[in-house]
Amino acid sequence: MTTATTTAASSMSYAVRDSTTMLRRNLRHMQRYPSLTIMLVGQPILLLLLFVYIFGGTLGNGLGPGGAGGRAEYVGYVTPAILLITITSAILGTAISVATDMTEGIIARFRTMAISRASMLTGHVLGTIIQTAFALAVVLGVALLIGFSPTADVGEWLALVGVLLLVTLALTWFAVALGLKAKSVETASNTPMVFTLLPFVGSGFVPAESMPAWLRWFAEYQPFTPIIETIRGLLLGTGIGDSGFLTVGWCVLITAIGYFWAKSLFQKERDR
Amino acid sequence: MTNAAIPAISATGLRKSYGDKVVLAGIDLNVPAGTVFSLLGPNGAGKTTTVNILSTLIGPDAGTASVAGHDLATDPDGIRSAIGLTGQFSAVDSLLTGEENLFLMADLNHLPRRAGRRRAAELLERFDLTDAAKLVPSTFSGGMRRKLDLAMTLVGDPKVIFLDEPTTGLDPRSRRTMWDIIRDLVASGVTIFLTTQYLEEADQLADRIAVLDEGRLVAQGTPDELKRRVPGGHLRLRFPDAVSVQRAGVALRLSTSDEHNDDENLALRVPTDGTVTALREVLDRLDAESVAVDSLTVHTPDLDDVFLSLTGHRTGATKELVR
């Protein structure tokens, strides 16, 4: 609510300023508590190495008709899924930090100050986006080092950045809601794990066609499959078909659900 | 001062329940600007709920209130820009240093950068926290943490400050320091709404005290008015044996209820108004019956006495203080 003297323009500029302040606070937290960031970046790297060097030789041979591409081909197949898992790993951190904030006294202080209500949440979202961008760069760097060779042109790279940003935004808002919903930090650190598992039950690690019929149905229609297909198509220049539209559609939907759910949870009174 | 006529805080019929549990059963408050108002009561009386409602943290189920001239229902942001809250639970950011916590508050109060830095430095100096400026709060003592908490509240120059049990859990020295800080604040013209479990604290700091019990205000007045309503504390008499305790009880015409008897310690609790005449009368009666007394102590009224006399039951605060 704004007072009569506050114009819409100045309350908008306060919202931007407060969100920037909260973002600075979250970045400082990441800097003070680097072990969380290291864990969140380490997890997808570990999975990448595990899948490429342990399973990759065999799995690569099973790709495509008469394929015998082995490990080298599998790096190309699995990297898009690992990039998605980098995002799902980072949002775990978001849920944990939001839940931690809600259990601490400082939230009462923020709520009794004349600041933009949503700034605390947007601060978390912006912080995660920066953290994820960093993590994605590191993971992609490791993938390149172990033999990943994308064929994307400038336009495809730009589209890829856009898609990754959109996916991060969607999953981060959802994670904010999960963090607010969680009654404890422990719960908050568990629920987003589901997102890390979803790429497995999709086309992330093996083609959906290789799965039993009932599972294939789920794998083909769950949101992460078109997302992975889009990332893969853009990186390897294999074309994305209608996956691009599906990806944008799913992301808009997930963002909307996460955003409104988070806002309504945040507006609710916190009873002690 | 013209603003003395306008109340800094006024509330009518505030009610709040959680499920079946009634936390506030309709309370009215009126705090003139520039004064210290203390809400006194044991744990669970509804003190924090009152503070949370007046500071816009939670909404009342019924009733109206205004703080610093802003209506609670229609202009909560107006209230937020005029108040500061230092709650019972530490509200500092534990991953930021003392100084960074103050900068954060300066930014959220929309102070220009340089003014914010200056304000932070000023508050660190004033609260004797300069050495702690570059340290994170986990290394602080309880007293330092509480001081930083209050300093953060003051960054925005609030007109009305809510202090929810500001000294609970502090050692006596830190408590004195906190009292001095609160007195300085009052001298600078702000209004303070203080909750406490300690009569002594309310007595030391408040212009007016309201006693809250199970969601109702059971008494309101200046510290002196309240203490006058409490029948002056009690005498504690210790006896050499159980027979003397019993004979003394009869001689002093005390009822045999638990209220007076402390059998374990062979002692009696005798209500008194604290005058010499009353004391002499007690001793004369014991003398007349030749009851031997080991020792005698005079107790001035404490929160327990206030409660006993105003509500007819004990606070149980001593038990819960350990929390």
Side-chain angles (χ1 to χ4, degrees):
Chain A
M1 202 164 296
T2 55
T3 58
T5 49
T6 319
T7 63
S10 83
S11 76
M12 190 62 212
S13 84
Y14 277 156
V16 172
R17 188 171 170 189
D18 293 340
S19 299
T20 318
T21 303
M22 291 299 187
L23 168 64
R24 262 208 306 279
R25 166 174 182 260
N26 288 317
L27 292 178
R28 191 51 59 85
H29 280 188
M30 290 172 195
Q31 183 195 333
R32 288 283 144 76
Y33 185 35
S35 57
L36 184 63
T37 309
I38 291 168
M39 190 201 83
L40 298 176
V41 179
Q43 182 178 305
I45 292 176
L46 207 68
L47 277 175
L48 176 67
L49 298 177
L50 181 78
F51 272 87
V52 170
Y53 287 110
I54 296 183
F55 306 126
T58 310
L59 288 175
N61 286 338
L63 289 173
R71 186 164 292 121
E73 193 175 339
Y74 195 67
V75 179
Y77 189 81
V78 83
T79 299
I82 296 294
L83 291 178
L84 182 56
I85 283 189
T86 307
I87 300 173
T88 63
S89 175
I91 63 159
L92 200 62
T94 320
I96 292 174
S97 344
V98 169
T100 307
D101 265 357
M102 298 308 284
T103 58
E104 292 198 343
I106 194 143
I107 189 71
R109 187 183 287 286
F110 291 152
R111 281 170 184 275
T112 54
M113 294 180 79
I115 56 175
S116 153
R117 291 249 103 180
S119 64
M120 205 204 92
L121 304 182
T122 40
H124 276 291
V125 171
L126 294 174
T128 305
I129 289 176
I130 292 174
Q131 190 182 35
T132 310
F134 164 77
L136 284 169
V138 173
V139 173
L140 195 62
V142 174
L144 291 172
L145 278 180
I146 64 170
F148 177 57
S149 51
T151 60
D153 60 28
V154 178
E156 284 168 327
W157 275 113
L158 285 177
L160 180 74
V161 169
V163 167
L164 291 175
L165 202 65
L166 200 61
V167 175
T168 308
L169 186 72
L171 293 182
T172 304
W173 271 112
F174 205 84
V176 167
L178 290 176
L180 290 171
K181 182 78 188 160
K183 292 274 182 283
S184 70
V185 179
E186 286 76 19
T187 315
S189 69
N190 290 334
T191 38
M193 288 284 217
V194 177
F195 290 111
T196 298
L197 292 177
L198 275 181
F200 286 93
V201 196
S203 64
F205 292 84
V206 293
E209 297 89 72
S210 67
M211 298 176 187
W214 56 274
L215 196 58
R216 192 194 311 157
W217 184 85
F218 176 78
E220 277 170 0
Y221 291 100
Q222 67 122 324
F224 280 19
T225 296
I227 294 174
I228 291 167
E229 291 304 323
T230 306
I231 299 173
R232 188 176 284 143
L234 290 171
L235 277 171
L236 302 176
T238 52
I240 55 174
D242 56 1
S243 293
F245 293 107
L246 285 172
T247 297
V248 173
W250 276 114
C251 285
V252 170
L253 185 70
I254 296 171
T255 309
I257 294 172
Y259 176 79
F260 289 109
W261 189 23
K263 267 203 112 166
S264 95
L265 287 171
F266 192 65
Q267 294 296 344
K268 264 194 206 155
E269 291 175 4
R270 299 285 293 188
D271 306 340
R272 260 209 255 284
Chain B
M1 292 273 280
T2 48
N3 66 348
I6 309 160
I9 302 170
S10 72
T12 318
L14 288 186
R15 290 179 161 275
K16 184 79 189 174
S17 310
Y18 289 111
D20 288 342
K21 183 160 169 35
V22 178
V23 182
L24 288 182
I27 66 166
D28 301 340
L29 294 167
N30 195 311
V31 182
T35 64
V36 181
F37 181 89
S38 176
L39 199 56
L40 179 69
N43 273 328
K47 301 190 298 293
T48 300
T49 305
T50 309
V51 168
N52 286 352
I53 290 174
L54 293 175
S55 62
T56 77
L57 218 44
I58 58 176
D61 294 341
T64 57
S66 86
V67 179
H70 303 278
D71 187 80
L72 184 66
T74 60
D75 187 15
D77 256 358
I79 294 182
R80 290 182 192 121
S81 62
I83 63 164
L85 165 68
T86 290
Q88 220 179 117
F89 302 99
S90 177
V92 304
D93 189 315
S94 48
L95 289 174
L96 300 184
T97 65
E99 193 177 55
E100 285 167 346
N101 265 297
L102 293 171
F103 291 163
L104 175 67
M105 288 302 115
D107 286 338
L108 292 177
N109 278 292
H110 310 127
L111 295 181
R113 194 177 164 77
R114 290 188 57 183
R117 304 250 145 183
R118 206 164 46 232
R119 185 95 180 107
E122 209 175 273
L123 285 163
L124 287 170
E125 176 81 39
R126 174 166 160 203
F127 287 128
D128 203 17
L129 288 168
T130 325
D131 293 341
K134 306 282 182 202
L135 301 173
V136 287
S138 53
T139 61
F140 287 17
S141 67
M144 279 164 74
R145 230 180 141 89
R146 207 65 68 93
K147 280 198 288 186
L148 176 62
D149 210 320
L150 187 54
M152 287 169 74
T153 300
L154 297 181
V155 172
D157 237 337
K159 291 205 257 317
V160 177
I161 299 175
F162 293 93
L163 300 173
D164 191 13
E165 302 198 15
T167 65
T168 298
L170 293 189
D171 60 68
R173 208 175 125 248
S174 305
R175 174 169 298 170
R176 298 270 157 196
T177 314
M178 198 52 97
W179 286 359
D180 287 341
I181 291 171
I182 295 170
R183 287 195 189 97
D184 285 349
L185 286 175
V186 182
S188 72
V190 302
T191 308
I192 291 187
F193 188 98
L194 168 88
T195 76
T196 181
Q197 309 190 14
Y198 312 113
L199 179 66
E200 191 199 355
E201 185 161 289
D203 194 8
Q204 286 276 338
L205 301 170
D207 297 304
R208 281 183 74 78
I209 300 175
V211 181
L212 190 64
D213 178 49
E214 288 173 357
R216 279 170 221 283
L217 289 181
V218 290
Q220 237 186 113
T222 65
D224 283 342
E225 278 167 4
L226 272 185
K227 275 191 286 184
R228 232 174 290 140
R229 291 186 55 181
V230 180
H234 63 270
L235 300 174
R236 195 176 141 88
L237 300 164
R238 278 180 60 114
F239 301 92
D241 50 56
V243 181
S244 305
V245 178
Q246 207 174 16
R247 287 180 53 216
V250 176
L252 297 171
R253 293 178 202 121
L254 297 174
S255 63
T256 49
S257 73
D258 292 342
E259 202 174 291
H260 300 294
N261 277 311
D262 184 357
D263 289 336
E264 256 173 60
N265 296 312
L266 299 172
L268 274 184
R269 191 182 152 99
V270 187
T272 167
D273 59 6
T275 59
V276 176
T277 322
L279 178 61
R280 186 171 292 136
E281 198 194 324
V282 169
L283 294 178
D284 282 350
R285 281 194 191 168
L286 293 174
D287 233 20
E289 300 291 328
S290 311
V291 184
V293 183
D294 265 0
S295 69
L296 175 150
T297 44
V298 181
H299 287 264
T300 47
D302 53 19
L303 179 58
D304 237 22
D305 296 309
V306 175
F307 261 80
L308 195 57
S309 118
L310 291 173
T311 68
H313 63 87
R314 294 282 171 94
T315 62
T318 30
K319 188 172 60 208
E320 290 178 42
L321 267 182
V322 223
R323 209 164 78 96

